[in-house]
Amino acid sequence: IGNYAFENNQISSLALPESITQISDYAFQNNQISVLSIPSSLTTIGSQAFSSNQISSLIIPKTVTSLSTYAFSSNPITTLSIGKCTADICSSGNQFGSSITNLTIESGEIGSSAFSSGQIVNLSLGNEVSSIESSAFSSNQISGKLTMPSNLTIIGDSAFSDNKINKLVFSENCKLTSIGDSVFSNNEISDDLVIPNSITLIGSNAF
């Protein structure tokens, strides 16, 4: 789908065929789209392709590996599911705005400050998430139980600082060897905490 193809219309619901592989810049900008179904064939979404719509719930399939700047800006997204985080999708600058309250990430690498300073309350991380860089989820409202993925190898400094997490669980067969500085600082962790045998280093103010 080419640049500006459906820009400035009144489209409210959009279902795309499985044959689509790329959506170019501004393709659906400034419509009224509230329901969007992204096909599993899609790999690339251009700059501001869906900006200025009414999307509140969004599923990004694993096949999407390239997401340009502000692709979903100016949407009231509260529920977001990402099949695979890449450098384009989960990087600093928060591609999806700051209104997200429910976030699921199935796999991939989560960049520095990717979802910091937001409103996330419920966070689910799949076991195929391999790294979480510094400040990735800092300064949100993440609460309740948080389970660390079994294939996680890196947690950067302050990755989950300044939230409301009250129970922290490390998965069986955990691959982590270290927990950096301030990773879980300023939370409300009060239940039983079991540090896995794989951990050999815990940083300053880690909890």
Side-chain angles (χ1 to χ4, degrees):
I1 299 176
N3 295 341
Y4 304 98
F6 296 92
E7 185 193 30
N8 296 329
N9 283 285
Q10 297 296 314
I11 300 168
S12 59
S13 178
L14 178 62
L16 297 167
E18 288 292 335
S19 56
I20 295 294
T21 59
Q22 178 175 331
I23 298 173
S24 298
D25 299 349
Y26 309 99
F28 294 96
Q29 183 190 43
N30 196 26
N31 276 273
Q32 298 295 319
I33 299 170
S34 60
V35 178
L36 173 63
S37 177
I38 297 177
S40 58
S41 58
L42 192 66
T43 61
T44 303
I45 301 176
S47 178
Q48 299 192 50
F50 291 98
S51 65
S52 301
N53 278 280
Q54 299 298 318
I55 301 166
S56 61
S57 181
L58 179 63
I59 298 174
I60 307 289
K62 284 185 176 181
T63 54
V64 176
T65 56
S66 178
L67 185 71
S68 296
T69 54
Y70 306 113
F72 291 94
S73 64
S74 300
N75 277 278
I77 299 171
T78 57
T79 299
L80 175 63
S81 177
I82 299 173
K84 184 177 182 178
C85 272
T86 66
D88 284 345
I89 297 173
C90 300
S91 59
S92 60
N94 201 334
Q95 293 276 39
F96 305 96
S98 58
S99 60
I100 300 166
T101 57
N102 303 292
L103 176 61
T104 299
I105 298 174
E106 295 179 14
S107 64
E109 302 175 353
I110 303 168
S112 298
S113 303
F115 297 96
S116 62
S117 302
Q119 300 297 320
I120 300 169
V121 175
N122 302 305
L123 175 63
S124 177
L125 300 172
N127 279 328
E128 296 305 313
V129 171
S130 59
S131 67
I132 301 171
E133 300 292 344
S134 60
S135 302
F137 297 101
S138 63
S139 302
N140 275 274
Q141 302 292 319
I142 300 169
S143 62
K145 177 182 175 182
L146 180 64
T147 300
M148 294 291 99
S150 58
N151 285 305
L152 189 65
T153 58
I154 296 172
I155 304 182
D157 294 348
S158 304
F160 293 96
S161 64
D162 299 299
N163 278 281
K164 298 180 179 181
I165 300 164
N166 57 39
K167 183 175 178 61
L168 182 63
V169 176
F170 291 90
S171 299
E172 293 184 11
N173 303 315
C174 177
K175 294 181 179 179
L176 270 177
T177 58
S178 65
I179 298 173
D181 296 343
S182 304
V183 172
F184 299 103
S185 65
N186 295 323
N187 276 275
E188 301 173 1
I189 299 171
S190 58
D191 210 336
D192 295 340
L193 177 62
V194 178
I195 305 297
N197 292 330
S198 60
I199 299 293
T200 59
L201 177 66
I202 297 176
S204 301
N205 199 31
F207 295 91

